[in-house]
Amino acid sequence: MLAVNTPNIHLLGVSTTHGNASSYYTAINAARCLVTFGASSRIRVYPGADQPLLLPAKHDPEIHGVDGLGGVEGLPELDDPEVDSFFARQADGSRIRAVEGMSSIVKDVWQAGAGKRVTIISTGPMTNIALFVSTYPDLLDAVEEFVFMGGGVGMGNRSSVAEYNILCDPHAAQIVLNAPVKKVMIPINVTHTAIVTKAIHSKILSPTASDEPDLELPIPSTNLRHTLSTLISYFAESYKSTFGFKQGPPLHDALTIAYVANPALFESTRYRVDVELTGSHTTGETVVDIWNYRKCDESWGRNGRNCMVAETLDVKGFFDMFLETIARCDQVSPLNKQPRFQA
């Protein structure tokens, strides 16, 4: 929603991969969301890797439901023709895959240096991006930066030290970290501060809602807001039961778009970051060298301080941006042209 409806973000395309759900569902869900949030018909979905580079695929149905969008109401059906129209296709009708789509778009925008650089944002396992980095090293000059939600500094959420997106494909994450391009890591230390409290949930449902914390959640003022609320409500219960988040769930992935749109919302420091690949208890841990023990050069690559790590977030500023984006999305979402959902 933020990528489609933030004024200074020009979304070029969406690739999908394994992660919270299987690659079958994540590809269709991306297209369903593009329809829901009023995306331009020029944007396309490119299905990507079905499994990690080396490890078996893992999914997270207890947090996100079997289809990755558990409990969400109002999205178009999986077989909706409009959903299917968002997939990029070859002349023979087959779907164009992620690495092919990414390389084609980056090349077209870059125009061998005469055009613009592209920012590549990751909100899941980085398998597609690792394949792109490995297959098209000649296009790395065309990439402004890789911004990813993932990792943690001294903490994890799907093991004692590993965050889920990195844990799903740690080898892919290391390949991307080794690439000689600026990286920005939005770790769970920061995303766990972006909590959808009851007051914020109320504002999501209705922009005129009261700030009083003890009041019941208001009736959604639009169908879009109802849909967003159902997503947050399911996520809230999952995070409460699994991780003990009592005030509300964190919004992880949206912070990547917020960073690209307004980096001033964050305080970040440049560090050397690597991924533990062989630890018996620590596979997938992002090892952030905050004390600069490792001798590094000033490059962004294999031997350099390779990553900007976000450390704090202007939480109010982010949610102000988030709520403003919902208001813009209200104007274009096809959900709001349908009969109203019943309270």
Side-chain angles (χ1 to χ4, degrees), residues 121-138:
I121 298 170
S122 171
T123 60
M126 287 192 274
T127 314
N128 293 340
I129 303 175
L131 293 170
F132 168 77
V133 165
S134 302
T135 309
Y136 293 96
D138 54 311

Side-chain angles (χ1 to χ4, degrees), residues 50-331:
D50 190 60
Q51 56 188 332
L53 297 179
L54 293 177
L55 303 178
K58 60 171 72 224
H59 307 307
D60 214 353
E62 64 268 32
I63 300 295
H64 300 282
V66 173
D67 69 351
L69 288 174
V72 183
E73 299 175 4
L75 296 178
E77 297 297 327
L78 297 176
D79 59 355
D80 188 311
E82 190 173 6
V83 170
D84 188 64
S85 72
F86 271 93
F87 285 97
R89 296 188 183 277
Q90 305 279 10
D92 63 2
S94 61
R95 292 177 178 179
I96 300 174
R97 306 297 298 190
V99 177
E100 185 178 359
M102 291 168 69
S103 61
S104 176
I105 289 173
V106 171
K107 189 180 297 183
D108 288 347
V109 174
W110 178 233
Q111 297 177 20
K116 296 183 178 180
R117 286 187 168 90
V118 170
T119 294
I120 297 179
I121 298 170
S122 171
T123 60
M126 287 192 274
T127 314
N128 293 340
I129 303 175
L131 293 170
F132 168 77
V133 165
S134 302
T135 309
Y136 293 96
D138 54 311
L139 289 179
L140 291 181
D141 285 344
V143 179
E144 183 76 27
E145 58 186 3
F146 293 108
V147 178
F148 66 97
M149 186 272 123
V153 183
M155 63 185 298
N157 65 355
R158 295 315 266 165
S159 83
S160 57
V161 293
E163 179 276 331
Y164 185 77
N165 287 343
I166 306 298
L167 183 63
C168 279
D169 197 345
H171 301 88
Q174 187 65 58
I175 287 173
V176 176
L177 285 166
N178 285 344
V181 176
K182 179 183 177 183
K183 274 79 59 177
V184 178
M185 170 174 148
I186 314 291
I188 55 175
N189 310 67
V190 173
T191 66
H192 281 180
T193 67
I195 302 297
V196 183
T197 62
K198 187 175 181 180
I200 293 171
H201 194 164
S202 294
K203 292 292 187 183
I204 290 171
L205 283 163
S206 174
T208 60
S210 169
D211 291 328
E212 293 296 326
D214 295 331
L215 296 180
E216 293 297 316
L217 290 174
I219 295 173
S221 60
T222 67
N223 287 343
L224 170 70
R225 292 171 182 271
H226 170 83
T227 294
L228 293 174
S229 176
T230 60
L231 187 153
I232 288 167
S233 296
Y234 184 90
F235 200 42
E237 288 305 313
S238 299
Y239 254 77
K240 185 177 180 179
S241 61
T242 304
F243 298 115
F245 278 64
K246 296 180 180 179
Q247 291 187 313
L251 279 188
H252 299 285
D253 297 344
L255 296 190
T256 57
I257 303 297
Y259 180 90
V260 175
N262 187 4
L265 290 172
F266 298 80
E267 291 185 1
S268 306
T269 302
R270 186 175 176 180
Y271 293 115
R272 175 71 201 184
V273 179
D274 290 285
V275 180
E276 178 57 60
L277 302 177
T278 59
S280 299
H281 306 290
T282 57
T283 295
E285 178 182 9
T286 44
V287 181
V288 181
D289 187 11
I290 61 175
W291 302 117
N292 298 315
Y293 281 116
R294 176 170 171 174
K295 185 177 180 180
C296 293
D297 57 37
E298 289 305 306
S299 74
W300 291 101
R302 187 179 297 272
N303 298 311
R305 290 190 300 139
N306 57 353
C307 196
M308 295 295 297
V309 178
E311 296 179 312
T312 64
L313 168 70
D314 175 354
V315 175
K316 181 182 183 303
F318 164 69
F319 278 112
D320 286 347
M321 171 190 175
F322 186 74
L323 294 171
E324 290 167 4
T325 306
I326 295 175
R328 282 192 294 270
C329 193
D330 257 338
Q331 304 304 311

